[in-house]
């Protein structure tokens, strides 16, 4: 099942539960190496990135299983320190294992990471943070060899609030000797979720969700059971799909506050949105075509770069001209050119995509360029007058458990091929 077929112009209506958070569970899986024993995480999405991280953990000596959303990781026999290149090439999040491996083994071997081709995405900030805590790195032929006698608390100030580097710094600092101060750190909800998970394991962390985090190192952490929160990017994708199809959709299971900026812009596009905070419920109703939008991506709490592509798809059918500026990744407009195959009128002005909306779009046969860009093409198919096919959907499977199942439950005529 590597392609998705969509018959467009079906309004989406109904309620959909949101899968567990991809961007939150991956660093938690890395954190499991910090405790000997069996760690269990519930509500875990069955996506390719999770399976790839399981493969890495298995190669290190862990015993991992994922069944019906329950991820079990037994680290009792884990002793490896080398991350296989085959997995590193599949996902950037593999670099999150550097901190835990160095903390537990004193050494680690890895390679420069892969994942979606959406820009340079250097790991220099990861290496900087770990160096501040005492690690040494040697590079040869794309391989990274790392060593440390023991992490020691330090002051880390990031030049940019990188999510991954912040996570790596926290993962390394929780069992370091002394106190670590991390400044200009990322504030994404996934950081807060990771800190909550580590706190249950016995870590001492202050300031989660703020630009300054203080970590007081402890001698050991303990295996735990934990319930994973909902995926805000998945929820935002389905809300954008509803806006594009004059739909009436309720998403359940994601903290509404984590989608404050996307909800703000969807309202500006004309959506009627009601929120129930306690029930973690967001309902969107759109009476006709969405209006135009102008937005700029940025670190949280600004508009998330992971929703830039799907909002560009929504802007493609808007009644007016939209402008979407990307400031996080320099090569994240791959979907823009492919959306033109659907009749979208998009041109680039530097790092800004300008979309003159048209409706309906034309059906097309296209290839997903990356994870979020692939989702954007599926949304374009929902707004196209005819049958569309999206290929290379392995990218989509990296982050969405079953896009066809979820959209189909809302009335979309969509299936895997």
């Amino acid at each position: 099942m590597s392609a998705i077929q969509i018959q467009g112009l079906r309004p989406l209506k109904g309620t959909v539960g949101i899968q567990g958070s991809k961007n939150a569970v991956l660093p938690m899986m890395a954190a499991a190496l910090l405790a000997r024993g069996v760690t269990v995480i519930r509500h875990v999405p069955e996506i390719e990135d999770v399976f790839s991280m399981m493969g890495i953990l298995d190669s290190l000596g862990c015993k991992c299983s994922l069944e019906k959303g329950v991820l079990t990781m037994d680290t009792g026999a884990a002793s490896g320190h080398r991350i296989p290149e085959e997995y590193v090439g599949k996902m950037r999040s593999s670099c999150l294992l550097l901190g835990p491996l160095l903390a537990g083994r004193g050494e680690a071997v890895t390679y420069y990471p892969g994942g979606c081709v959406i820009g340079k995405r250097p790991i220099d900030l990861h290496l900087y943070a770990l160096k501040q805590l005492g690690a040494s790195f040697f590079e040869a032929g794309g391989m990274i060899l790392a060593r440390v006698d023991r992490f020691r608390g330090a002051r880390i100030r990031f030049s940019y609030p990188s999510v991954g580097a912040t996570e790596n710094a926290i993962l390394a600092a929780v069992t370091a000797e002394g106190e670590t101060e991390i400044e200009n750190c990322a504030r994404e909800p996934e950081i807060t979720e990771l800190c909550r998970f580590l706190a249950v394991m016995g870590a001492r962390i202050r300031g989660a969700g703020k630009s300054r985090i203080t970590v007081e190192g402890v001698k050991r952490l303990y295996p735990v059971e934990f319930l994973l929160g909902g995926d805000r990017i998945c929820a935002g994708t389905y809300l954008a799909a509803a806006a594009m199809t004059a739909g009436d959709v309720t998403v359940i299971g994601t903290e509404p506050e984590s989608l404050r900026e996307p909800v703000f812009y969807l309202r500006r596009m004309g959506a009627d949105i009601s929120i129930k905070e306690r029930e973690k419920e967001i309902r969107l109703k759109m009476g006709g075509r969405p209006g135009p939008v102008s937005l700029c991506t940025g670190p949280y709490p600004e508009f998330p770069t992971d929703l830039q592509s799907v909002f560009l798809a929504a802007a493609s059918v808007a009644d007016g001209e939209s402008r979407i500026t990307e400031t996080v990744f320099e090569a994240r407009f791959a979907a823009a050119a492919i959306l033109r195959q659907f009749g979208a009128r998009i041109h680039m002005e530097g790092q800004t995509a300008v979309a003159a909306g048209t409706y309906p779009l034309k059906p097309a046969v296209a290839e997903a360029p990356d994870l979020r860009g692939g989702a954007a093409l599926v949304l374009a198919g929902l707004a196209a007058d005819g049958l569309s096919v999206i290929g290379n959907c392995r990218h989509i499977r990296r982050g969405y458990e079953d896009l066809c199942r979820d959209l189909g439950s809302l009335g979309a005529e969509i299936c895997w091929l």
Side-chain angles (χ1 to χ4, degrees), residues 43-62:
H43 193 220
V44 173
E46 297 184 12
I47 56 177
E48 289 303 315
D49 273 14
V50 167
F51 291 124
S52 291
M53 186 65 90
M54 289 172 63
I56 296 174
L57 293 176
D58 285 339
S59 76
L60 297 171
C62 300

Side-chain angles (χ1 to χ4, degrees), residues 86-245:
E86 62 179 292
Y87 290 109
V88 176
K90 293 179 181 179
M91 56 181 299
R92 175 178 169 78
S93 296
S94 59
C95 64
L96 293 173
L97 291 157
L98 275 175
L101 283 177
L102 287 169
R105 317 279 191 273
E107 60 181 337
V109 177
T110 188
Y111 302 82
Y112 281 98
C116 286
V117 183
I118 58 173
K120 295 177 181 177
R121 309 183 82 177
I123 63 169
D124 56 329
L125 292 178
H126 294 252
L127 304 186
Y128 156 74
L130 298 176
K131 285 178 181 177
Q132 291 296 104
L133 293 165
S136 299
F137 293 91
F138 309 90
E139 302 177 35
M143 181 184 293
I144 302 173
L145 296 88
R147 292 187 177 88
V148 69
D149 290 330
R150 182 178 179 183
F151 282 133
R152 288 178 170 80
R155 180 175 178 269
I156 299 169
R157 180 171 179 79
F158 289 119
S159 58
Y160 181 85
S162 162
V163 175
T166 299
E167 291 168 341
N168 232 335
I170 294 170
L171 290 168
V174 286
T175 56
E177 181 181 309
E179 188 173 271
T180 299
E181 291 186 1
I182 309 170
E183 298 180 3
N184 195 30
C185 53
R187 299 168 56 192
E188 271 71 3
E190 293 79 17
I191 300 288
T192 304
E193 188 86 337
L194 173 62
C195 290
R196 189 165 68 90
F197 176 72
L198 288 167
V200 176
M201 295 177 74
R204 298 174 181 173
I205 304 171
R206 302 191 302 275
K210 300 180 180 178
S211 60
R212 179 177 176 177
I213 291 176
T214 302
V215 182
E216 182 183 344
V218 297
K219 290 185 177 181
R220 63 174 297 185
L221 297 180
Y222 301 89
V224 297
E225 291 199 14
F226 190 82
L227 179 64
L228 184 66
D231 192 306
R232 64 191 176 104
I233 305 303
C234 180
T237 300
Y238 297 161
L239 291 173
M244 292 177 66
T245 60

Side-chain angles (χ1 to χ4, degrees), residues 313-360:
S316 298
V317 300
D319 187 11
E321 183 179 275
S322 299
R323 300 178 66 88
I324 297 180
T325 301
E326 174 63 47
T327 70
V328 180
F329 295 120
E330 76 281 359
R332 199 158 203 173
F333 278 118
I338 305 174
L339 284 169
R340 297 190 191 113
Q341 297 179 33
F342 291 84
R345 297 182 295 171
I346 301 173
H347 72 271
M348 300 302 302
E349 295 180 1
Q351 285 297 104
T352 298
V354 182
T358 183
Y359 184 85

